[in-house]
Amino acid sequence: MILVFKHFFYKNYVGLSLWPFIILKEDALKADEVLINHERIHLKQQRELLILPFYLWYVAEWLFRTILYLDSYRAYQNISFEREAYANEKDMHYPSKRKTFGFLQYLTR
Ligand SMILES: [Zn+2]
């Protein structure tokens, strides 16, 4: 289910997923298939980790990588969940065909 909240977003971010919802900054973004697909991949990741552990892992990996790279944006881009979502967001069939815990193969590269 897709919701729109204009005043919910930090900096350039325009979408996020909070299972079972995809939240967008603007109505027009509903037409952005790649963005929606990216968020659908996150919903799959969240569900397979039973939601709460996803967020804990996400923040822990972001903190670890921020220390590693000394660059919080680069850290965000390299979180395994984001690597999987960015690498496959243009493949519209990816959310239905990906293997469970598919993000694990993006932990190291
Ligand atoms: Zn993402």
Side-chain angles (χ1 to χ4, degrees):
M1 185 189 282
I2 299 177
L3 306 176
V4 176
F5 290 126
K6 282 187 171 47
H7 305 290
F8 196 69
F9 290 92
Y10 176 71
K11 287 190 175 173
N12 301 324
Y13 296 92
V14 294
L16 65 84
S17 34
L18 286 171
W19 193 89
F21 304 108
I22 291 173
I23 303 171
L24 301 174
K25 192 174 184 175
E26 291 169 21
D27 220 44
L29 293 167
K30 287 180 182 174
D32 186 337
E33 288 183 16
V34 171
L35 173 66
I36 301 299
N37 202 41
H38 181 105
E39 299 306 334
R40 282 177 65 215
I41 294 168
H42 286 322
L43 290 181
K44 289 272 179 174
Q45 295 164 340
Q46 291 172 11
R47 201 176 63 176
E48 71 199 1
L49 285 173
L50 309 175
I51 323 304
L52 186 62
F54 169 89
Y55 298 107
L56 297 175
W57 184 332
Y58 191 104
V59 171
E61 197 176 333
W62 178 75
L63 285 173
F64 174 77
R65 291 188 187 278
T66 296
I67 293 163
L68 192 68
Y69 306 139
L70 299 174
D71 179 337
S72 61
Y73 188 68
R74 191 175 159 214
Y76 150 77
Q77 290 174 305
N78 282 283
I79 296 169
S80 54
F81 303 118
E82 295 299 347
R83 283 177 174 173
E84 184 190 15
Y86 281 116
N88 299 290
E89 65 188 9
K90 292 188 178 70
D91 177 355
M92 297 302 146
H93 302 292
Y94 186 75
S96 49
K97 75 183 184 192
R98 71 185 277 279
K99 293 198 172 82
T100 306
F101 303 118
F103 63 89
L104 287 175
Q105 68 193 57
Y106 292 88
L107 205 49
T108 56
R109 68 171 180 193

